[in-house]
Structure formats: C-alpha cells, structure tokens
Amino acid sequence: MKAITLMKTVSVSTAAFLAFAVSAPAQSPDLVLLDGLQKGEWTLKARGSNEPGKKVCLGDPGILLQIQHGDTACSRYVIQDTVNSVRVSYKCGSADHGVTTIKRESSGLVQIQSQGIKGNAPFSFNVEGRRTSSC
C-alpha cells in the first residue's frame, strides 16, 4: 500500500514538473552570426547614403537585432541562425515589434534589414554596419 501511495506521489510530482518545464519560456541561445562579430565601435549607415551614419559601441552585438527599439526589453524568436545570416522576430510590450535580418560579409561588415512597428508607426530600413574603431 505504501508503494502505491509513493508511486502516486512521484507521478503527480513528475507531471507537475513537466507542466512547468513545458510552459516556462526558453532562454535565447547565443546566435552564431553575432558571436563572430568584432567588438568595438561600429558605424551604421543607410546603404548608398553620403551621411556619416550612426555610431554604436558594440559590446553586445544583440543591439543590432532591434536598432529601432534600442535598449527596450523585448522578447525574441529566432527564425534562422547560421554563420552568415540571422533572422529574428521580436516583440516589445503590447504593440511594438519587428523582424530583423542580418547578413554577415565579414567579422567587421554586416548588412541589416529591419521592419516593424514603433509607437504605432511602421518602419523599414536597410543599413550597412561596419566596424570602424575601438570604443
């Protein structure tokens, strides 16, 4: 009789553990493409533009995934992750979101395409990211 009670307890505990394990959000893995980028100062410039571009210090290359939303805490869903290309969908709060594709040409040069919604307004842009110096 004690064995049956013990088995029921173990079964219920296992079922509860699995229910929480399945419903818990997964941690975002490191992205292969981003891991291969050089740290330092990068210049983000619209393709074909003569403007000087925007400079960012690339300590965490993940900032390239949501340029339009900056440091906002967003949840991310990885659509594709290879050595030369990454595509990520992200959601920031109830309305803001985006999809970003980064294509790696070298460890110091990438092409970034992003589109989505910020502050109830659509955005879409293509920029070249180039490592320009140290931070």
Side-chain angles (χ1 to χ4, degrees):
M1 191 67 163
K2 288 183 182 182
I4 293 173
T5 304
L6 179 60
M7 288 187 65
K8 285 182 182 178
T9 303
V10 169
S11 295
V12 169
S13 297
T14 302
F17 171 78
L18 290 175
F20 284 109
V22 170
S23 65
Q27 293 294 325
S28 295
D30 290 337
L31 299 173
V32 176
L33 179 139
L34 297 181
D35 287 343
L37 297 181
Q38 296 176 25
K39 307 286 190 245
E41 181 184 89
W42 283 63
T43 301
L44 305 177
K45 184 175 171 180
R47 283 190 232 158
S49 171
N50 292 328
E51 297 295 319
K54 174 184 174 182
K55 296 192 181 296
V56 296
C57 186
L58 198 62
D60 173 16
I63 64 172
L64 297 177
L65 294 171
Q66 57 186 65
I67 296 169
Q68 194 69 20
H69 291 93
D71 292 336
T72 305
C74 304
S75 61
R76 296 179 183 160
Y77 175 76
V78 178
I79 299 168
Q80 175 190 5
D81 180 26
T82 68
V83 173
N84 294 316
S85 148
V86 65
R87 184 171 176 86
V88 173
S89 172
Y90 63 91
K91 184 160 177 62
C92 313
S94 61
D96 290 356
H97 63 273
V99 176
T100 301
T101 302
I102 302 175
K103 294 185 179 179
R104 177 181 188 249
E105 294 187 25
S106 71
S107 63
L109 178 62
V110 294
Q111 302 299 324
I112 304 169
Q113 192 282 324
S114 189
Q115 61 185 8
I117 302 290
K118 180 178 181 186
N120 293 323
F123 68 87
S124 180
F125 61 86
N126 293 297
V127 296
E128 177 180 270
R130 184 179 299 269
R131 187 181 187 283
T132 49
S133 69
S134 300
C135 293

